[in-house]
Amino acid sequence: MNDPATSNDRPATDAITGKPMPKPIPASTLVIFRDQPGQNAPDLLMVERSAKMVFAAGAAVFPGGRIDDADFEFARKLGHDDVDEYGARIAAIRETIEETGIAVAVEGDLDARRILDARAALHEGTVLADICNQFDWQLELEKLIPFTRWCPPFAEKRVFDTRFYMISHDDHGALATVDETENYNLFWGNAQSVLDRAEAGEVKIIFPTKRNLERLAQFGSFDEAVAHVKDHPSVMVSPNIEKRGEEVHLCIPEGIGYPITSEPMDAVQRGFKK
């Protein structure tokens, strides 16, 4: 098993202070596409986090969260050798059910009442493996397409090693509803519209979300996004600090699919309060 906490791709010290980096928390996020007939870009599902949250308070993000031990154990029970990868996929599905009430990459009876029951059970602490067994659900983990992976270079109290996945979900009748615990609102919107709302001050987006939305704004459909990631496979992204003239910039590597790779530090929205 590849331990994300010991990956050679993650930073060893804080990019600013030089302090040793804490062990990162494995996390998983799902970018849900809904192609819109007659429109030039697909909608994406975003959730707005509660202002009381420690990380990304008040920010619009993609559904997701930390990977639990039960997710890794479920991956083992399903016979996957790479439990880090498939535990992350399981967590992305679980967190999406918890946060939005939508079940993606699930085969079986997906009656709206059943999904609500599954969501309530997850909030009460029932593990997804038991829910799948009870409802005779099978997870279609191969439907999740690896998009990117981020681990920041700052020694915050919590550092997340987050895997991002993409999936298409064109069931326009599926009703997404906010969980009213970690999140207070959710909405569908194409990537550029979310960027425009952030520019207008209507929503808050942190640095990784902004860079990923800029990348996603290049695509007119889910199929275009899939073709893109075949040319630019998922890699670990760990931003670095660069002095450019009189400004200090937060930067990511060139050549990995991102159209914009830097932003002045004084404009950067970070996940934790400064």
Side-chain angles (χ1 to χ4, degrees), residues 12 31 62 79 84 137 158 227 248:
V31 183
F62 304 109
D84 287 336
W137 282 355
R158 299 178 187 174
V248 176

Side-chain angles (χ1 to χ4, degrees), residues 76-91:
R76 291 188 187 93
K77 287 182 179 179
L78 292 175
H80 294 289
D81 292 332
D82 190 346
V83 297
D84 287 336
E85 172 64 26
Y86 285 91
R89 296 185 187 209
I90 290 167

Side-chain angles (χ1 to χ4, degrees), residues 58-208:
V61 298
F62 304 109
R66 71 174 61 204
I67 306 169
D68 294 338
D69 289 342
D71 300 318
F72 294 127
E73 183 59 32
F74 195 6
R76 291 188 187 93
K77 287 182 179 179
L78 292 175
H80 294 289
D81 292 332
D82 190 346
V83 297
D84 287 336
E85 172 64 26
Y86 285 91
R89 296 185 187 209
I90 290 167
I93 295 169
R94 173 183 56 75
E95 287 282 347
T96 298
I97 296 172
E98 290 182 22
E99 294 187 350
T100 73
I102 290 182
V104 296
V106 178
E107 176 65 30
D109 181 357
L110 298 179
D111 176 78
R113 180 70 258 173
R114 176 161 288 200
I115 295 173
L116 287 175
D117 289 345
R119 184 186 199 180
L122 287 169
H123 281 299
E124 290 169 1
T126 304
V127 298
L128 184 57
D130 290 346
I131 292 171
C132 287
N133 183 59
Q134 177 186 347
F135 290 164
D136 194 26
W137 282 355
Q138 290 79 44
L139 301 186
E140 300 176 301
L141 299 178
E142 300 304 328
K143 285 189 173 182
L144 274 65
I145 308 297
F147 179 54
T148 188
R149 183 176 175 183
W150 283 64
C151 188
F154 305 111
E156 310 282 5
K157 292 181 179 179
R158 299 178 187 174
V159 174
F160 293 95
D161 174 1
T162 306
R163 302 178 192 230
F164 291 73
Y165 299 93
M166 308 185 307
I167 194 167
S168 176
H169 188 70
D170 287 335
D171 180 2
H172 289 220
L175 180 63
T177 56
V178 71
D179 66 2
E180 296 182 351
T181 55
E182 295 183 358
N183 310 303
Y184 72 93
N185 186 37
L186 53 75
F187 61 90
W188 291 93
N190 66 62
Q192 188 58 55
S193 74
V194 181
L195 290 166
D196 292 343
R197 290 183 62 188
E199 183 67 24
E202 297 174 5
V203 296
K204 172 186 173 183
I205 52 176
I206 60 176
F207 183 81

Side-chain angles (χ1 to χ4, degrees), residues 10-91:
R10 76 179 185 90
T13 58
D14 188 296
I16 296 176
T17 66
K19 294 180 179 179
M21 289 291 292
K23 182 178 180 179
I25 300 166
S28 185
T29 290
L30 193 55
V31 183
I32 304 174
F33 285 68
R34 189 171 68 180
D35 286 342
Q36 296 285 45
Q39 296 188 18
N40 294 326
D43 278 349
L44 310 173
L45 184 58
M46 309 289 296
V47 298
E48 291 187 87
R49 290 172 61 79
S50 167
K52 297 179 181 179
M53 299 303 294
V54 174
F55 178 73
V61 298
F62 304 109
R66 71 174 61 204
I67 306 169
D68 294 338
D69 289 342
D71 300 318
F72 294 127
E73 183 59 32
F74 195 6
R76 291 188 187 93
K77 287 182 179 179
L78 292 175
H80 294 289
D81 292 332
D82 190 346
V83 297
D84 287 336
E85 172 64 26
Y86 285 91
R89 296 185 187 209
I90 290 167

